[in-house]
């Protein structure tokens, strides 16, 4: 370790990357599970998506650009739809939402989960049947609830006693009886490969099970004749690879279901187990197929229902990342390549934390490849960074790129469909990139690039 005046932490630089990351035998090879299904390297070495050369995409739409393999997205919707054939699959729109994607998921038979008035507006503008929309959120305003009621959304997922009051008053005023779920915080936290089951539930979402708020909320809603309580809801985390967390959460939430039956003689007909199914960002991630997930979740619920002597409720799930995440890659152009004192090579691209905040926010790992050509150079461990004024502006922490990577190369980062464009910002007044859907060799702009004029239009001073 080199000495550093700022201390040992800063001195621990120039690592060889994580232990699992090995120099590839072929630096041009694509790891299939990281890429949309219709991405390949063409005969001349450049990537193609659904038959279209990415250089043509860059030439027409500029870089950075999010490239969506439409058939890949649709096939993932269908995989979930057929795996959960007797259940409802809500696409979690927070992962990425625009009108074209709403239409795609609707056409493929999915429902849609929205969690703000803005997401609801996009869903309705795209023609999503309102009865297939579930409306989430821990702080829905009166205006948002009013809009949801007026649109007749299928389910409102209740998240607080204040919201129960608000929705009750609004429903009474309007003479409607919305169908609702009560979101239960079950004390299970699952992220990546681990989960912990805790006794306390210290978070802003839902009603605490251990503290008794969830039972109180459900009984209260049952007492409100203008609300129709359809069931309970729980969502335990993100990037989950292991069904154990779902097992504990299902056991706890069905325990509450039994408690409600014992108190009121009512068996709630529905149960929503939320989303959070993991995807592969690197070779270290090994996601389950939707068929396997469906089988495991069904078995878990059936077993718990047997124990509690409950009829098996109608299930729903809410995958976001697992549907849109793998369908998109971001295409950047390299601007500079800097070898810092032999410690590390920084490859700077023309985007960064404004189009992908996940690396900075969650310490997320990604992979990357040079997309505009194949190379015969040796693999070189590099860090792909953005153009923002922040040293944490990292897109891909560690990846082997060809040692001749140079300005003008296109670099593609896969797995950027979820929580990248939807969390994009204008930091440093960098306009947000467009989203281009490619199908059958043709590219279609579905979200246009923001312009400096857009940014200045908001600046009315
Ligand atoms: C209630 C709820 N459902 C579904 C999701 C989607 O999660 P994922 O995209 O990880 O599947 C989230 C994510 O935060 C959520 O809060």
């Amino acid at each position: 370790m080199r000495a550093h005046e700022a201390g040992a932490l800063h001195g621990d630089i120039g690592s060889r990357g994580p232990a699992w990351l090995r120099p590839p035998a072929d630096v041009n090879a694509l790891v299939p599970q990281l890429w949309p299904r219709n991405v390949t390297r063409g005969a001349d070495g450049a990537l193609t998506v659904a038959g279209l050369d990415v250089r043509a995409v860059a030439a027409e739409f500029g870089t950075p650009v999010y490239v969506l393999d439409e058939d890949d997205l649709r096939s993932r919707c269908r995989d979930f739809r057929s795996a959960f054939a007797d259940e409802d699959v809500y696409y979690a729109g927070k992962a990425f939402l625009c009108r074209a994607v709403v239409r795609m998921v609707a056409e493929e038979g999915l429902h849609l989960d929205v969690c703000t008035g803005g997401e609801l507006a996009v869903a309705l503008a795209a023609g999503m049947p309102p009865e297939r929309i579930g409306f989430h959120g821990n702080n829905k305003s009166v205006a948002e609830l009013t809009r949801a009621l007026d649109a007749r959304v299928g389910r409102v997922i209740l998240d607080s006693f204040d919201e129960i009051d608000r929705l009750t008053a609004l429903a009474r005023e309007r003479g409607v009886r919305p169908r609702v779920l009560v979101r239960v915080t079950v004390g299970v936290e699952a992220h990546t490969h681990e989960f912990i089951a805790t006794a306390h539930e210290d978070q802003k979402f839902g009603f605490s099970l251990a503290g008794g708020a969830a039972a109180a909320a459900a009984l209260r809603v049952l007492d409100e004749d203008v609300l129709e309580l359809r069931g309970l809801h729980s969502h335990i985390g993100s990037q989950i690879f292991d069904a154990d967390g779902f097992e504990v959460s299902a056991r706890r939430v069905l325990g509450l279901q039994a408690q409600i039956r014992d108190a009121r003689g009512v068996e709630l007909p529905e149960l929503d187990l939320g989303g959070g199914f993991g995807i592969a960002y690197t070779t270290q991630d090994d996601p389950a197929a939707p068929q396997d997930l469906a089988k495991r979740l069904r078995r878990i619920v059936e077993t718990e229902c047997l124990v509690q002597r409950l009829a098996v409720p109608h299930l729903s799930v809410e995958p976001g990342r697992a549907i849109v995440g793998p369908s998109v890659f971001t295409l950047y152009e390299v601007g500079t390549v800097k070898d810092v004192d032999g410690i590390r090579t920084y490859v700077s691209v023309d985007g960064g934390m404004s189009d992908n905040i996940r690396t900075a926010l969650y310490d997320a790992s990604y992979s990357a490849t040079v997309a505009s050509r194949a190379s015969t150079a040796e693999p070189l461990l590099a860090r792909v960074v953005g153009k923002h004024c922040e040293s944490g502006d990292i897109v891909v922490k560690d990846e082997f790129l060809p040692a001749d990577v140079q300005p003008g190369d296109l670099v593609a980062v896969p797995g950027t469909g979820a929580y990248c464009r939807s969390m994009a910002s204008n930091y440093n007044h960098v306009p947000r990139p467009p989203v281009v859907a490619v199908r059958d060799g043709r590219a279609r702009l579905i979200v246009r690039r923001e312009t400096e004029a857009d940014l200045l239009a908001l600046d009315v001073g």
Side-chain angles (χ1 to χ4, degrees):
M1 188 190 292
R2 288 160 61 105
H4 192 286
E5 63 187 15
L9 190 64
H10 291 262
D12 188 17
I13 53 180
S15 75
R16 292 192 196 94
W20 55 263
L21 187 63
R22 297 285 154 77
D26 175 3
V27 76
N28 304 302
L30 301 179
V31 179
Q33 71 265 30
L34 306 184
W35 292 90
R37 288 163 184 167
N38 301 301
V39 170
T40 54
R41 211 175 267 283
D44 69 350
L47 293 197
T48 64
V49 49
L52 183 65
D53 191 313
V54 294
R55 292 169 298 187
V57 176
E60 183 173 355
F61 301 100
T63 53
V65 52
Y66 300 101
V67 184
L68 167 70
D69 175 350
E70 180 171 345
D71 281 334
D72 180 280
L73 175 77
R74 287 179 180 274
S75 70
R76 287 176 204 279
C77 292
R78 284 198 291 276
D79 289 349
F80 268 96
R81 185 61 274 152
S82 64
F84 290 92
D86 297 329
E87 292 86 10
D88 290 329
V89 179
Y90 285 77
Y91 167 63
K94 65 206 76 178
F96 172 62
L97 204 66
C98 67
R99 287 184 296 176
V101 163
V102 172
R103 285 192 288 268
M104 290 173 205
V105 299
E107 283 164 17
E108 299 302 340
L110 268 51
H111 290 48
L112 182 66
D113 144 13
V114 298
C115 64
T116 63
E119 289 182 359
L120 179 59
V122 174
L124 295 173
M128 187 74 187
E131 67 277 10
R132 280 160 61 188
I133 297 177
F135 190 23
H136 272 280
N138 68 302
N139 185 16
K140 306 178 197 75
S141 68
V142 169
E144 287 174 319
L145 289 170
T146 303
R147 199 162 177 190
L149 287 187
D150 290 348
R152 300 273 196 276
V153 302
R155 301 286 179 279
V156 176
I157 296 86
L158 293 168
D159 204 284
S160 68
F161 288 108
D162 291 323
E163 187 179 279
I164 296 176
D165 292 343
R166 258 176 232 153
L167 193 68
T168 304
L170 289 170
R172 194 155 281 142
E173 257 170 50
R174 284 171 164 63
V176 293
R177 188 161 186 255
R179 296 182 148 191
V180 301
L181 304 180
V182 164
R183 180 162 175 174
V184 180
T185 318
V186 289
V188 174
E189 259 186 75
H191 299 282
T192 68
H193 301 271
E194 291 169 10
F195 86 94
I196 46 170
T198 56
H200 69 282
E201 296 133 357
D202 183 6
Q203 60 149 305
K204 70 172 185 169
F205 292 110
F207 296 93
S208 150
L209 185 67
L219 296 180
R220 163 99 175 275
V221 173
L222 281 172
D223 289 340
E224 296 292 358
D225 54 350
V226 294
L227 302 181
E228 181 181 349
L229 182 60
R230 299 292 299 171
L232 303 175
H233 176 287
S234 102
H235 171 81
I236 55 173
S238 54
Q239 259 310 72
I240 303 168
F241 292 92
D242 179 339
D244 294 359
F246 287 105
E247 188 161 354
V248 177
S249 79
R251 190 178 312 136
R252 290 184 176 179
V253 88
L254 287 166
L256 173 59
Q257 180 110 317
Q259 218 182 308
I260 294 166
R261 174 206 53 205
D262 295 345
R264 293 291 161 82
V266 177
E267 282 205 22
L268 301 176
E270 297 176 15
L271 173 63
D272 190 324
L273 291 175
F277 312 124
I279 65 168
Y281 287 108
T282 71
T283 53
Q284 294 311 285
D285 300 321
D286 186 18
Q291 287 288 355
D292 296 334
L293 278 173
K295 257 190 239 149
R296 276 191 267 166
L297 292 188
R298 239 177 250 133
R299 201 166 42 230
I300 287 168
V301 171
E302 281 164 8
T303 307
E304 288 308 316
C305 284
L306 210 61
V307 172
Q308 299 286 356
R309 288 171 293 106
L310 286 164
V312 176
H314 180 78
L315 279 185
S316 46
V317 288
E318 298 173 337
R321 183 192 319 266
I323 288 187
V324 77
S327 304
V328 175
F329 61 90
T330 311
L331 197 58
Y332 300 98
E333 186 177 308
V334 174
T336 66
V337 178
K338 198 184 279 184
D339 173 17
V340 180
D341 281 350
I343 297 170
R344 195 192 296 281
T345 298
Y346 285 88
V347 175
S348 295
V349 295
D350 50 356
M353 65 195 300
S354 58
D355 60 70
N356 186 351
I357 191 65
R358 292 191 66 261
T359 308
L361 190 60
Y362 304 126
D363 196 29
S365 295
Y366 283 91
S367 81
T369 195
V370 168
S372 44
R373 63 185 173 96
S375 169
T376 52
E378 288 298 303
L380 166 81
L381 185 64
R383 175 161 285 181
V384 180
V385 295
K387 62 180 288 169
H388 294 280
C389 293
E390 191 78 37
S391 50
D393 173 26
I394 298 168
V395 182
V396 183
K397 283 180 290 188
D398 301 288
E399 179 58 292
F400 283 96
L401 295 177
D404 63 354
V405 60
Q406 57 194 264
D409 278 338
L410 297 176
V411 162
V413 175
T416 57
Y419 307 107
C420 288
R421 180 58 179 78
S422 65
M423 290 179 128
S425 76
N426 296 123
Y427 180 45
N428 294 141
H429 281 201
V430 172
R432 288 175 294 177
V435 184
V436 171
V438 183
R439 194 177 201 195
D440 296 333
R442 276 197 300 279
R444 174 168 64 107
L445 187 66
I446 59 173
V447 179
R448 77 158 165 82
R449 185 181 301 283
E450 215 166 21
T451 61
E452 286 173 6
D454 290 327
L455 302 183
L456 281 165
L458 297 176
D459 185 341
V460 294

